[in-house]
Amino acid sequence: MPELRPILLVEDSPRDLELTLAALEKCQLANEIVIARDGAEAIDYLFGTGTYEGRLDGDPTVVLLDLKLPKVDGLEVLERVKHNERLRHIPIVMLTSSREEQDLVKSYELGVNAFVVKPVEFNEFFKAIQDLGVFWALLNEPPPGSLRNGRA
């Protein structure tokens, strides 16, 4: 049985963070949820730098990435990950309240795997997060060789 990899949730809004965690918990996923509250923390986690220097767990099964983040915005995080040979296989889902076409276009140009606009209505938001969690953690088949454990 393959080792469960964590889900990296990058979200600065306390309300959206709480709702997302509740929805993922309801899915009963066994994956650990790692939380980054800004883009710089997400980069540190993904690249194993800063407070995450030397982390030994594998790459996340998916990154749920907010677009508008403090310190480093979601587009820059996306660009850095997708331009890195070691990390570019990690699926990234842009999870945002932005409905701006330029954000959608730029995200896909940079290699995002999915772009999901956060529904405003509570039940729709909850359902959208559950569907994302189940798809990326259980149903999606990662590319061969991406089930890495650590930096080997």
Side-chain angles (χ1 to χ4, degrees), residues 8 10 39-49 52 55 59-60 63 65 77 81 84 86-87 90 92 151:
L8 177 59
V10 189
E41 186 178 355
I43 288 170
D44 280 348
Y45 180 82
L46 291 163
F47 285 85
T49 56
Y52 294 99
R55 77 174 173 87
D59 292 332
V63 177
L65 181 62
V77 173
V81 170
N84 182 279
R86 184 179 71 79
L87 300 175
I90 299 171
I92 297 183
R151 295 177 160 201

Side-chain angles (χ1 to χ4, degrees), residues 122-150:
F122 172 80
N123 288 330
E124 288 178 25
F125 182 84
F126 211 76
K127 176 76 170 110
I129 297 301
Q130 286 181 304
D131 290 348
L132 284 171
V134 168
F135 177 79
W136 289 105
L138 299 177
L139 300 176
N140 183 56
E141 193 67 34
S146 67
L147 294 177
R148 301 180 39 219
N149 186 16

Side-chain angles (χ1 to χ4, degrees), residues 6-13 16-17 19-25 27 29 31-39 42 45-46 60-69 74 77-78 81 90-96 112-116 118 125-126 128-137:
I7 294 171
L8 177 59
L9 172 58
V10 189
E11 178 61 68
D12 65 315
S13 163
D16 288 352
L17 179 61
L19 289 175
T20 303
L21 289 172
L24 289 171
E25 185 177 312
C27 297
L29 299 174
N31 306 68
E32 174 190 7
I33 309 297
V34 176
I35 299 165
R37 296 181 190 274
D38 60 53
Y45 180 82
L46 291 163
T61 192
V62 66
V63 177
L64 302 178
L65 181 62
D66 190 15
L67 183 64
K68 309 291 186 198
L69 292 167
V77 173
L78 173 64
V81 170
I90 299 171
I92 297 183
V93 176
M94 197 63 77
L95 189 58
T96 180
V112 79
N113 297 87
F115 190 98
V116 177
K118 297 175 189 174
F125 182 84
F126 211 76
I129 297 301
Q130 286 181 304
D131 290 348
L132 284 171
V134 168
F135 177 79
W136 289 105

